[in-house]
Amino acid sequence: MKVLIVLAHPRENSLVHSVKNKFEQGLIDSGHQVTTLDLFKVGFDPVLREEDEPHYDREEQVFSKEVHEEMERINQHDALVFVFPLYWSNMPAIMKGYIDRVLNLGYAYSPWSSNTMKVKKVFWMTTTGASEAIHNKRDHITFLKYYFNKVIAGYCKIENSRVKIFDDALNKELAINNHLPQAYQEGLDFDKW
């Protein structure tokens, strides 16, 4: 399987990068081909400007060169993996902007016909400073799964969508002994769900 990882964290020495690296190694060790798009490293512009705004009054959409290239990049893969930290129970602005601009009308969703995005599997991997208990108390895990699996993936007609939350990210012992081995295992088991 060809897997595109879309990464959003400005620091390479972050838990997000470490989780991505372990996951990627698991994918490679199980025979998958992996491409990583580091949104910060490439300087992706997250602002949805007029040229990439969806036009609901016409069936055929025209996008900027940058967005068209990202759509083509996604279509060269079988699966899409987003790796990011949680900010206010959501993804960082740069990743939200990537989704706003690239998973656009006529490509990722369409009221007129089937979309042209070829990916049928998406995986959301995120880190959070809060513990699982705090997230459960506030019902955030239910919200996050609904938002990523139903609101975004579901709207794009991607039924095979899953969320993995690496909680309590500031606990270095937990990260080393639990999160990083889990990330590697997620890569190894990626084609099992």
Side-chain angles (χ1 to χ4, degrees), residues 15 128 178:
L15 178 60
T128 176
N178 189 359

Side-chain angles (χ1 to χ4, degrees), residues 69-189:
E69 287 172 355
E70 290 306 322
M71 290 172 173
E72 289 298 315
R73 183 194 315 260
I74 290 172
N75 277 347
Q76 294 171 6
H77 295 84
D78 305 303
L80 192 52
V81 178
F82 293 99
V83 186
F84 56 94
L86 267 180
Y87 296 159
W88 290 101
S89 296
N90 211 324
M91 63 191 85
I94 196 167
M95 184 163 284
K96 178 65 167 67
Y98 181 87
I99 289 171
D100 288 347
R101 290 185 66 203
V102 179
L103 301 190
N104 212 322
L105 176 65
Y107 173 68
Y109 64 95
S110 175
W112 307 290
S113 61
S114 61
N115 57 14
T116 60
M117 186 169 69
K118 296 177 181 175
V119 167
K120 298 300 176 198
K121 182 174 187 172
V122 66
F123 188 33
W124 312 88
M125 291 199 315
T126 185
T127 62
T128 176
S131 68
E132 185 176 354
I134 290 172
H135 279 290
N136 282 331
K137 181 179 178 183
R138 297 180 177 152
D139 211 18
H140 282 172
I141 293 174
T142 301
F143 163 76
L144 293 169
K145 288 180 178 180
Y146 181 80
Y147 178 71
F148 293 120
N149 293 332
K150 302 294 183 192
V151 173
I152 299 176
Y155 199 69
C156 296
K157 297 184 177 149
I158 300 173
E159 294 178 15
N160 198 356
S161 177
R162 194 162 72 83
V163 176
K164 175 66 179 167
I165 301 166
F166 297 95
D167 71 324
D168 206 4
L170 302 177
N171 183 334
K172 290 186 183 197
E173 185 178 323
L174 181 65
I176 292 168
N177 296 326
N178 189 359
H179 295 341
L180 298 182
Q182 277 185 7
Y184 178 75
Q185 192 64 48
E186 291 287 352
L188 286 177
D189 296 340

